[in-house]
Amino acid sequence: MTSIGGVEMVDWNLAVATATRLVRPGPEVSRDEARAVVAELRRHAKTSERHVRDFTRMLPDGAEVNDTPVLVVDRAGWVKANVAGFRELLGPLLGKMQERRAGTPGGSVLGAVGGKVTGVELGMLLSFLASRVLGQYETFAPAALDLPGSTGGGRLLLVAPNIVHVERELEVDPHDFRLWVCLHEETHRTQFTAVPWLRAHLEGEIQTFLGATEMDPMTILERLREAAQSFAGARSDDERGEEGRSLVELVQTPEQREVLGRLTAVMSLLEGHADFVMDGVGPEVVPSVAEIREKFQQRRASGAGRLDATLRKLLGLDAKLRQYRDGERFVRAVVGQVGMDGFNRVWTSPNTLPTKAEIAKPADWVARVHGKGSEDGGPQ
C-alpha cells in the first residue's frame, strides 16, 4: 500500500536504524540492577491498575475490560514500537500519496530517494525523543510478531533507562518515582480500556487530519517558507502572536487547524486527567510525592538547555506542556464543582468531550453537560 514498484515511500527500517544509531546511551547499570528495575516497574504497573481504577471510578466494580499488555522497554525498543505505530497510522495518507506519484514521470525513482530521506529524518526525530519519554500508552499499536505482547489495540510502554536517568537527575527516591510514573501511565491505559469508543474516535480525528493534508508541493513549500521566516524573526511579534507558531502549525490547512483544535482539547483532557489522578493517588501510596512533583515540574518547565527548547518549539512539543497544565486545571475545577462521578460524564460520548474553549473555561462544560451554572455546586 505504501510503496511504488516495491519501493517504500518511507523507509521504515532505515528510520529504526538511524534512530538506534543516533540515540544517546542510557545510564550505566549492572545486569542485576537492570533486571531489578524491570521487575519493579512491572510490579508497580500492576499495583497502579487497582489504585487508578479505585480513584477514578471509571469502571464499575467487577466490570470486565479488554486488557492490554504492559511492556518495559529500552530506548531502541521504544523506537521500534513507535515506528510500527507511525506505519499503522500513516498508511492511508501514504497510500494517497502513492496514487498521486505513480502517475508522474520518474515516480519510482522519486519514491526510492524520498523514502530514504524521510526514513533518515524520522529516525533523527525519534532519536531526539527516545531519551526523553518515560512512558507511553501506545494507542494505535499494530499486531507485530517481533514485539512481545503485540496483538493490536494498544499497549503500555515503560522506558526503563529514561526512568532511571530522571530519578537520578532529580535525586529522588527511585522506588517512589517509579510508582509515581506508573500511576500516570496507568491512567492513560485505564482511559482507553474503560472507554471503548475513545480509540476509534481519536483514530477518526487523526485520519481526518491526515486526509486534509495538502498534496500540492508548491503549497507545502510556501508554508515551509512562512515557517522559516517566522522562526528567523522576519515577521513582527504581532503577526506571530505572543508565543509564535510551531512548524507543525504553519504547514497545516485551515481544515486541519479545526481538527487540531478538537484533538488538542482531547489530549489536554487525557494528559490533565492523568496528572490529576497521579497527584490524587500519590499521597496515599508514594511517601515522597510532594518532593517528586516539585522537582519534576521544575524539570518540565526548564527543559534541557537552549537547543532542546528550540527543538521543542519548532516541533510543537511546547503544546504538550500546556496540555498537562491546562488539562489538569480543567479536571480539578470540574471535579471540585460536580464531583468525580459528575466529571466522569466526560467519557459518555464524543459529544461530552470538552471543546478547546471549554478546557480554558470548565464552568462552560459543566453548564453544557450538566445544565447548571457555575454558581451551583455538587453533582445533580
Side-chain angles (χ1 to χ4, degrees), residues 4 6 26 35 79 81 102 105 112 144 149 156 170 176 186 197 215 226 241 246 267 277 286 291 293 296 304 349 368:
I4 302 173
R35 286 173 177 164
V79 166
L156 178 60
L170 298 182
D176 285 1
E186 178 58 38
W197 54 264
M215 291 293 126
E226 289 179 19
S246 71
M267 297 312 296
V277 172
V286 182
E291 177 191 2
R293 183 66 160 156
F296 194 78
S349 75
R368 176 171 68 86

Side-chain angles (χ1 to χ4, degrees), residues 81-123:
N82 275 266
V83 166
F86 281 138
R87 191 170 191 169
E88 183 87 351
L89 263 184
L90 295 177
L93 173 63
L94 296 182
K96 195 173 168 184
M97 294 175 67
Q98 173 199 351
E99 292 174 3
R100 176 162 295 207
R101 187 176 288 173
T104 63
S108 295
V109 174
L110 288 173
V113 175
K116 297 291 184 186
V117 172
T118 307
V120 170
E121 290 173 342
L122 178 58

Side-chain angles (χ1 to χ4, degrees), residues 275-352:
D275 265 12
F276 178 79
V277 172
M278 183 169 59
D279 287 347
V281 175
E284 296 294 326
V285 298
V286 182
S288 59
V289 64
E291 177 191 2
I292 291 172
R293 183 66 160 156
E294 181 181 1
K295 289 184 175 180
F296 194 78
Q297 287 287 65
Q298 291 172 354
R299 183 180 186 273
R300 265 186 188 169
S302 64
R306 186 172 181 179
L307 176 61
D308 183 78
T310 301
L311 285 170
R312 295 183 72 90
K313 181 65 180 175
L314 184 65
L315 296 171
L317 298 179
D318 278 354
K320 180 81 166 177
L321 301 183
R322 291 194 296 274
Q323 286 167 9
Y324 286 115
R325 183 186 65 232
D326 298 345
E328 197 272 343
R329 273 204 301 255
F330 170 84
V331 176
R332 188 173 298 282
V334 172
V335 171
Q337 188 172 342
V338 297
M340 184 65 77
D341 292 333
F343 165 79
N344 281 339
R345 287 181 62 177
V346 78
W347 313 115
T348 304
S349 75
N351 293 330
T352 56

Side-chain angles (χ1 to χ4, degrees), residues 100-218:
R100 176 162 295 207
R101 187 176 288 173
T104 63
S108 295
V109 174
L110 288 173
V113 175
K116 297 291 184 186
V117 172
T118 307
V120 170
E121 290 173 342
L122 178 58
M124 292 173 67
L125 172 61
L126 290 173
S127 72
F128 170 75
L129 297 174
S131 61
R132 288 160 173 77
V133 176
L134 301 182
Q136 170 189 359
Y137 186 76
E138 199 190 3
T139 313
F140 306 108
L145 296 176
D146 57 343
L147 287 170
S150 178
T151 57
R155 60 183 171 229
L156 178 60
L157 306 178
L158 297 169
V159 191
N162 294 349
I163 293 172
V164 171
H165 170 77
V166 173
E167 70 192 25
R168 291 179 178 178
E169 178 185 313
L170 298 182
E171 297 182 337
V172 293
D173 183 280
H175 309 293
D176 285 1
F177 184 75
R178 294 165 196 173
L179 176 56
W180 188 73
V181 170
C182 287
L183 288 170
H184 181 101
E185 302 307 333
E186 178 58 38
T187 302
H188 288 317
R189 186 163 171 251
T190 298
Q191 290 163 348
F192 284 94
T193 54
V195 185
W197 54 264
L198 186 57
R199 181 181 187 272
H201 173 71
L202 269 182
E203 185 172 17
E205 291 281 53
I206 291 170
Q207 292 303 336
T208 299
F209 181 88
L210 294 176
T213 298
E214 180 58 65
M215 291 293 126
D216 177 11
M218 294 307 296

